[in-house]
Amino acid sequence: MCGFGGYLGSIRDGKPLLERMTAAIGHRGPDEHGIFTTPGAGLGHVRLSIVGLGDGQQPMSDSSGELTIAFNGEIFNYVELRDELRAKGRRLRTSSDTEVILHLYKEMGEECLSLLNGDFAFAIWDARRHRMVLARDRMGVRPPFHTMKGGTFRMGVRPLFHTMKGGTFYFASEVKALLEIPGLSAEIDPIALDQIFTLWAPIAPRTPFRGIHELEPGHLMVADQSGITTRPYWQLDYPDRDQRSAYTNENQAAEELRALLTEATRIRMRADVPVGAYLSGGLDSSIISALAAGMTSQGLRTFSVTFDTAEHDESAFQEAMAAALGTEHRAVACRAGDIARDFPDVVRFTEKPIIRTAPAPLYKLSGLVRETGLKVVLTGEGADEVFAGYDIFKEARVRRFCGRQPGSRVRPHLFRKLYPYLPGLQQQSAEYVAAFFGAGDVALDDPLFSHRPRFKGTAATKMFFSADLRAELKGYDAAEELVGRLPTAFGRWHPLHQAQYLESRFLLPGYILSSQGDRMAMAHGIEGRFPFLDHRLVEFAAKLPPEMKLKGLVEKHILREATKNLLPPAIGKRTKQPYRAPDSHSFSGAGELDYVRSAMGEEAIAAGGLFNAKAVTKLYEKCQSRPASGFRDNAAFVGVLSTQLWLQTFTGNSLRKAEAA
């Protein structure tokens, strides 16, 4: 895991620029750094040494000097690929996975991407063709190389951004590096902000920074003298809903799943340094920890975050699982005020406004891992998307069931079974429950049926937008843009697969693997690895009948069956407890710090120009007097505060103007 930056074009003082760019993202690679320049191109790299500790320095050139690479991530099947290359007579000088990519590119060109199983982003300077080749992972897939038809299913882990300035093409692992380019300044993209306040994240390639774009997961970009071309190189299709599944025997499917997951974990244990694991106490991380514990002779180290609020804390399950596995376990406590103290750093590292505080405890957790001396952790991310684990999948099934008989007084009672922990829900009438969950409000053939209530609830936060911002966004609809991005086959898929696609294509890469994942881990130089996102596992799960994944209202049924002898019953039978953290409440009491009062003050809000100052002042006072209980107020508070911090951090706007007033 590392970070890099570079350019293609004629500029002055390329080396000093690359030094500044790599310094800006030094947290991604605290072990080493390197610079490569040649007339018309340059690459800079910061390294987190995990594989090939003594000989994997970058940027790395091949023996001919024609190819030079800057690489961020890991190729998990590099051992097998290296053996294949040597069998063909190729001589490799290092033990690193980076050199494997160079040899594969030299042999196959861009089609080498079809062989890579890993989480990666890289840039290759091809001197003979005088071009820069950039690529980003899709989630460690090894499919046939082909041009996509319709839409794509993308779960990219490692980030890559790019921009044009003065006729020169620039790129980097984080936007911070691009902001070192002379004359390039940060300016917020209003449409991206609207997308965040609707969909939780921008729709790639858009970013919060106007004029700065993200290379989408599963895409290849080639820049040369004739211009820049971008194309996807991977897709994953779900079967048509009427298509008979290849998997009809549940026991056989469970056995195959167990074997695939074991192998996915095994290759992600490959490293020249110790590998630990995050242990939340839920099903997914417990499974990965259990598998990993059986693959190390040195003992597995596990890490958790705990809360002093009962609704968020899972420490009892974490301790039980750690005891069952005999791991060396450490936890970091997230107490009142901790989130507020870390939140400015969270926004600086995630580089985007966010509407939840959930990344902050994970920022604190990766700091704990760094303190112990580890660099790599396995995590359970991806299981909920791949095996239908979130409440949103179950709720969509119940809403669809109720929608078929809108007047039923019996069907809405299923919501009570779905959410037994919601206070007061058990005493409400069927009509109230149906209305509360919006049963019947969304047409059954709406392509966003599963997610429409979430998008509608999140979009309610835009009531705090300023009049000027509303005018600028007039006529724009983020949800409808999302509909326009759906693949042509989407309408033929089963409703559960449609819901999984929406969750996996947009929220997973845009928020969970980014704001909660790569950015919070790499802020402390920690690499996260995701066995559930192994290509073989994802493609296998996509072919399973929906009822094997969501059996009635039991989420991840087939995963539970495949791993039931790995976990204590109290863990294996747990229902999904979504990972959450205290939101607006984090910024009151011990969390009411000076920067919060300043950022949410009427002068600062007015100076930023994005929000209605008087409405935000009322929201701030409301949340300070009592904890916000509704999603809208919590999301709006966190969204406004993070946007204000984004402005201050990247543009120098808002707070500085307010302080000078």
Side-chain angles (χ1 to χ4, degrees):
M1 182 61 66
C2 308
F4 64 84
Y7 62 86
L8 179 67
S10 298
I11 66 171
R12 290 184 179 181
D13 301 325
K15 185 175 181 180
L17 172 61
L18 291 172
E19 293 281 4
R20 295 195 304 273
M21 292 175 71
T22 53
I25 55 173
H27 52 278
R28 297 190 67 91
D31 296 333
E32 295 175 336
H33 80 281
I35 301 294
F36 164 84
T37 59
T38 192
L43 293 169
H45 189 269
V46 290
R47 186 183 183 210
L48 182 66
S49 304
I50 293 174
V51 173
L53 300 184
D55 56 12
Q57 292 79 13
Q58 297 184 49
M60 180 183 290
S61 299
D62 72 340
S63 57
S64 70
E66 291 183 349
L67 302 176
T68 302
I69 186 172
F71 167 57
N72 167 29
E74 303 290 344
I75 304 302
F76 300 121
N77 63 334
Y78 79 99
V79 174
E80 291 80 7
L81 293 174
R82 184 177 60 196
D83 291 344
E84 292 174 11
L85 287 166
R86 285 174 173 165
K88 293 178 180 179
R90 290 196 170 271
R91 299 182 62 183
L92 280 76
R93 299 171 296 165
T94 75
S95 59
S96 72
D97 53 349
T98 307
E99 188 181 11
V100 168
I101 301 174
L102 277 177
H103 279 271
L104 288 173
Y105 178 84
K106 191 164 188 175
E107 185 171 288
M108 303 174 64
E110 299 159 11
E111 292 191 16
C112 72
L113 288 162
S114 66
L115 300 181
L116 303 181
N117 184 330
D119 303 331
F120 61 85
F122 64 71
I124 294 178
W125 165 241
D126 187 334
R128 187 166 62 87
R129 297 178 177 87
H130 201 83
R131 68 178 187 174
M132 195 73 73
V133 178
L134 284 73
R136 189 176 170 203
D137 67 66
R138 57 297 214 198
M139 60 179 176
V141 180
R142 187 173 178 171
F145 190 91
H146 64 282
T147 300
M148 140 190 117
K149 296 179 181 179
T152 58
F153 182 99
R154 306 166 192 136
M155 296 186 183
V157 176
R158 309 307 169 199
L160 186 53
F161 301 90
H162 58 92
T163 192
M164 289 289 297
K165 181 68 176 177
T168 296
F169 173 64
Y170 299 91
F171 52 89
S173 297
E174 295 185 13
V175 175
K176 296 176 196 64
L178 297 179
L179 296 180
E180 295 296 324
I181 300 169
L184 183 66
S185 58
E187 181 182 352
I188 199 156
D189 184 330
I191 290 180
L193 189 65
D194 186 89
Q195 291 173 351
I196 292 169
F197 276 70
T198 307
L199 312 173
W200 293 38
I203 301 175
R206 194 180 295 276
T207 76
F209 298 83
R210 194 193 296 268
I212 296 177
H213 308 287
E214 179 180 13
L215 181 61
E216 293 186 69
H219 274 62
L220 170 76
M221 174 178 281
V222 177
D224 56 25
Q225 294 175 337
S226 63
I228 299 172
T229 59
T230 304
R231 63 185 176 103
Y233 64 85
W234 177 76
Q235 70 171 352
L236 175 66
D237 290 323
Y238 289 101
D240 290 354
R241 71 174 73 191
D242 297 328
Q243 182 179 338
R244 179 178 171 82
S245 174
Y247 296 93
T248 57
N249 186 303
E250 187 175 283
N251 290 332
Q252 290 179 356
E255 289 179 7
E256 185 172 347
L257 169 54
R258 175 69 172 264
L260 288 168
L261 185 56
T262 300
E263 173 63 11
T265 304
R266 184 187 70 82
I267 64 172
R268 282 162 180 78
M269 292 288 288
R270 286 175 170 170
D272 295 335
V273 296
V275 178
Y278 282 166
L279 183 59
S280 72
L283 180 71
D284 310 330
S285 65
S286 296
I287 290 171
I288 298 303
S289 295
L291 290 171
M295 297 176 182
T296 175
S297 59
Q298 302 173 341
L300 183 69
R301 283 189 273 180
T302 53
F303 303 88
S304 300
V305 60
T306 66
F307 296 92
D308 56 9
T309 48
E311 65 177 303
H312 304 103
D313 187 60
E314 298 181 73
S315 58
F317 296 102
Q318 296 162 2
E319 292 166 4
M321 193 64 212
L325 295 178
T327 66
E328 180 183 335
H329 186 69
R330 291 190 62 181
V332 61
C334 188
R335 301 186 178 90
D338 288 346
I339 288 176
R341 282 188 286 274
D342 288 338
F343 203 62
D345 284 337
V346 168
V347 174
R348 179 166 62 90
F349 284 111
T350 199
E351 296 186 332
K352 67 182 72 165
I354 50 179
I355 62 170
R356 307 307 299 264
T357 62
L362 297 177
Y363 171 80
K364 196 173 179 68
L365 180 60
S366 68
L368 171 66
V369 177
R370 168 54 67 174
E371 288 175 9
T372 68
L374 262 67
K375 299 179 181 180
V376 185
V377 289
L378 304 179
T379 88
E381 263 81 23
D384 289 309
E385 291 80 5
V386 173
F387 293 103
Y390 288 128
D391 285 343
I392 198 168
F393 301 129
K394 294 185 285 186
E395 185 181 314
R397 175 165 287 185
V398 175
R399 286 176 40 244
R400 194 175 291 276
F401 182 66
C402 293
R404 294 193 187 100
Q405 290 187 12
S408 173
R409 295 176 56 85
V410 176
R411 295 190 175 202
H413 289 291
L414 285 173
F415 287 113
R416 295 195 177 99
K417 183 178 180 181
L418 190 60
Y419 296 110
Y421 51 83
L422 286 182
L425 186 65
Q426 308 304 318
Q427 288 74 42
Q428 300 296 333
S429 67
E431 292 83 359
Y432 175 89
V433 173
F436 182 84
F437 287 100
D441 289 351
V442 182
L444 295 179
D445 61 352
D446 184 344
L448 302 183
F449 178 89
S450 58
H451 285 62
R452 188 69 75 173
R454 178 201 282 176
F455 296 158
K456 182 179 178 181
T458 306
T461 59
K462 293 189 286 188
M463 66 176 290
F464 294 96
F465 280 6
S466 68
D468 288 344
L469 181 57
R470 287 172 181 271
E472 191 168 359
L473 293 168
K474 187 176 182 180
Y476 175 73
D477 189 323
E480 291 312 305
E481 179 173 342
L482 188 148
V483 171
R485 300 292 189 94
L486 298 178
T488 55
F490 185 87
R492 301 196 302 267
W493 296 341
H494 187 279
L496 178 64
H497 291 158
Q498 293 177 342
Q500 286 184 270
Y501 180 89
L502 291 171
E503 196 73 8
S504 302
R505 167 63 179 88
F506 299 102
L507 191 71
L508 181 63
Y511 175 73
I512 293 175
L513 294 178
S514 174
S515 295
Q516 285 188 188
D518 174 87
R519 299 312 188 85
M520 295 303 99
M522 289 306 297
H524 290 108
I526 300 299
E527 174 181 292
R529 295 182 174 181
F530 313 96
F532 281 111
L533 294 181
D534 186 281
H535 76 282
R536 297 158 293 186
L537 206 59
V538 173
E539 292 177 343
F540 165 81
K543 297 173 184 176
L544 290 176
E547 285 297 331
M548 282 193 188
K549 289 176 278 190
L550 183 57
K551 191 167 187 175
L553 293 180
V554 177
E555 76 276 10
K556 293 181 287 197
H557 167 73
I558 191 67
L559 181 61
R560 295 176 190 274
E561 289 298 304
T563 59
K564 57 188 176 183
N565 67 341
L566 277 179
L567 312 176
I571 302 293
K573 295 181 179 180
R574 281 192 75 191
T575 57
K576 175 67 180 179
Q577 178 175 332
Y579 166 67
R580 297 183 300 118
D583 287 313
S584 64
H585 183 57
S586 301
F587 303 96
S588 60
E592 192 177 7
L593 305 180
D594 288 343
Y595 85 83
V596 180
R597 288 189 289 272
S598 178
M600 298 294 280
E602 193 166 335
E603 289 183 346
I605 295 295
L610 298 174
F611 302 103
N612 183 314
K614 293 189 181 300
V616 170
T617 297
K618 291 180 180 178
L619 173 67
Y620 177 68
E621 292 172 350
K622 176 182 178 181
C623 292
Q624 293 302 300
S625 63
R626 63 184 185 278
S629 57
F631 172 82
R632 187 201 67 181
D633 285 352
N634 272 305
F637 186 101
V638 176
V640 172
L641 177 59
S642 64
T643 304
Q644 291 292 99
L645 292 173
W646 187 96
L647 290 171
Q648 180 191 33
T649 302
F650 296 107
T651 74
N653 197 359
S654 185
L655 302 193
R656 292 182 186 176
K657 288 185 178 180
E659 290 166 358

